[in-house]
Structure formats: structure tokens, C-alpha cells
Amino acid sequence: MAILYLTDKRQLTTYEEITRVLGPLGVDLKSWPVPEGEGLRSLLGKARLDPPEQESLLAHFLDRFDYLKTTLGYQTQDLIVLEPDLPGLAALEEKFRACHTHDDDEIRYIVEGEGLFGFVLPNQDQVELKVEAGDYINVPRGAEHWFRLTPPRRIKAIRYFTSREGWVPIYTGRALSSAFA
Ligand SMILES: [Fe+2]
């Protein structure tokens, strides 16, 4: 269940309240519960997955992919797995936490672990949204945002693409609020 953190330390915990703040940016947040099942649970529990295991995991979520193909024209999907022992993780985190935009929507469906998406609101205020397993988020093209891992530094998320080209970060150089630094 997502939580929205505001710079004044308030926390919003319902989709309704969160959508009231993020709606003006065009952010779409949905609850897509992760299915139950022994096979899937064992894949989700592994720190790392080899390519066949990643394919097996994605196969459990084909209905979601079909929905996005039909409704939004998405063409490809992959799985991103971040965990503390991943080589180069610190450098990746450094890139993710720099404010940026994309020319295409950034769609993530969190299937395990958690992370924080930060946003710059139209009034220039900043907020951070904690997303965890079962949260689907669409960060629309042009919305200024960043991403950070929470202390366990562990997340598995399905990424959906219409084209790889559209999903290159365009850095804005904006500093993060001290509340989130
Ligand atoms: Fe991004």
C-alpha cells in the first residue's frame, strides 16, 4: 500500500488522498495485488534471478501486460531486480535519485520490495511516494521525478515500454528538498 510523504512530515495513506496530490501531475496509481502461489512466491523470494527465472516470473503477470498492450499500446516488458549485492548498485542509485523527466511515460509495477518515487508538484513543492508490492504507477512523460531505494535496498518491478528511446532520463539539475536528501 503506497504512502505519500510531504515535506511538512505529513503522510497520506489512501489512494484517494494520494491521487488528490499527484493527480494534477497526471500520475496514475493503482492497486494490482500480486497473485498468490507457491511457484511465484519462491521466485519473488530470490535475491537474484537468472534470465529463465525472470521469464518465469513475468509469465505470472501476462494478464497485466495484455491489459497495458490493449489499453495503452505497450509492446515490451522486462523485470528490474535491485538488491544490496548487485554490482554497481550505488552508481545506479546515484543516477536514479537525480531529478529528471522522460519523453515517454515510465510505468512500473512493483511485485516485491519497495522504493520511493519523488515528484515536483506544480507549486514546486516536493513529495515522495513509497511504492511496494502490488502498486502500479505510471509517471507521465514530462513529470519531474526521482527514485530512491528504502534502506533494505531491494525491489523487483516490471517495466513496460512502448519504445526504449523514450525512456532516457533528461536531468533537470534540481536539488532535492532537505526532507528527502
Ligand atoms: Fe525516471
Side-chain angles (χ1 to χ4, degrees), residues 35-50:
E36 297 292 326
E38 186 83 9
L40 177 57
R41 196 174 316 120
S42 129
L43 287 166
L44 291 172
K46 291 190 167 196
R48 286 197 207 180
L49 298 169
D50 61 27

Side-chain angles (χ1 to χ4, degrees), residues 96 98 100-102 106 108 117 139 143 145-147 167-169:
F96 292 154
H100 62 275
T101 63
H102 304 284
E106 176 174 335
R108 298 289 179 268
F117 272 98
V139 179
H145 66 279
W146 68 89
F147 179 79
W167 197 70
V168 174

Side-chain angles (χ1 to χ4, degrees), residues 13-35:
T13 54
T14 68
Y15 274 45
E16 202 182 358
E17 289 176 310
I18 293 170
T19 300
R20 211 172 297 140
V21 176
L22 296 182
L25 291 179
V27 172
D28 186 19
L29 180 68
K30 288 181 170 60
S31 173
W32 279 4
V34 174

Side-chain angles (χ1 to χ4, degrees), residues 78-96:
D78 71 7
L79 182 71
I80 181 162
V81 179
L82 303 179
E83 48 91 17
D85 293 330
L86 181 74
L89 180 63
L92 270 179
E93 288 181 286
E94 196 69 20
K95 282 205 275 184
F96 292 154

Side-chain angles (χ1 to χ4, degrees), residues 31-181:
S31 173
W32 279 4
V34 174
E36 297 292 326
E38 186 83 9
L40 177 57
R41 196 174 316 120
S42 129
L43 287 166
L44 291 172
K46 291 190 167 196
R48 286 197 207 180
L49 298 169
D50 61 27
E53 289 171 328
Q54 293 192 10
E55 284 308 312
S56 302
L57 191 148
L58 288 170
H60 287 273
F61 299 96
L62 287 180
D63 55 337
R64 303 297 191 192
F65 189 28
D66 285 341
Y67 170 79
L68 291 171
K69 279 187 199 167
T70 311
T71 55
L72 297 175
Y74 276 74
Q75 301 294 325
T76 57
Q77 63 173 352
D78 71 7
L79 182 71
I80 181 162
V81 179
L82 303 179
E83 48 91 17
D85 293 330
L86 181 74
L89 180 63
L92 270 179
E93 288 181 286
E94 196 69 20
K95 282 205 275 184
F96 292 154
R97 67 177 299 151
C99 265
H100 62 275
T101 63
H102 304 284
D103 286 338
D104 205 350
D105 294 1
E106 176 174 335
I107 294 195
R108 298 289 179 268
Y109 174 28
I110 318 305
V111 293
E112 196 265 340
E114 60 184 30
L116 295 157
F117 272 98
F119 297 96
V120 180
L121 300 178
N123 66 2
Q124 305 301 297
D125 220 353
Q126 298 182 9
V127 293
E128 267 192 341
L129 178 72
K130 186 168 92 172
V131 287
E132 57 189 20
D135 289 326
Y136 159 98
I137 186 166
N138 185 342
V139 179
R141 70 194 67 183
E144 198 174 346
H145 66 279
W146 68 89
F147 179 79
R148 294 196 294 153
L149 288 171
T150 54
R153 298 173 86 206
R154 194 182 154 101
I155 194 167
K156 291 184 180 68
I158 304 177
R159 311 189 292 183
Y160 300 93
F161 303 96
T162 49
S163 73
R164 300 274 171 173
E165 293 71 37
W167 197 70
V168 174
I170 302 158
Y171 295 103
T172 61
R174 184 191 299 266
L176 297 202
S177 157
S178 57
F180 306 128

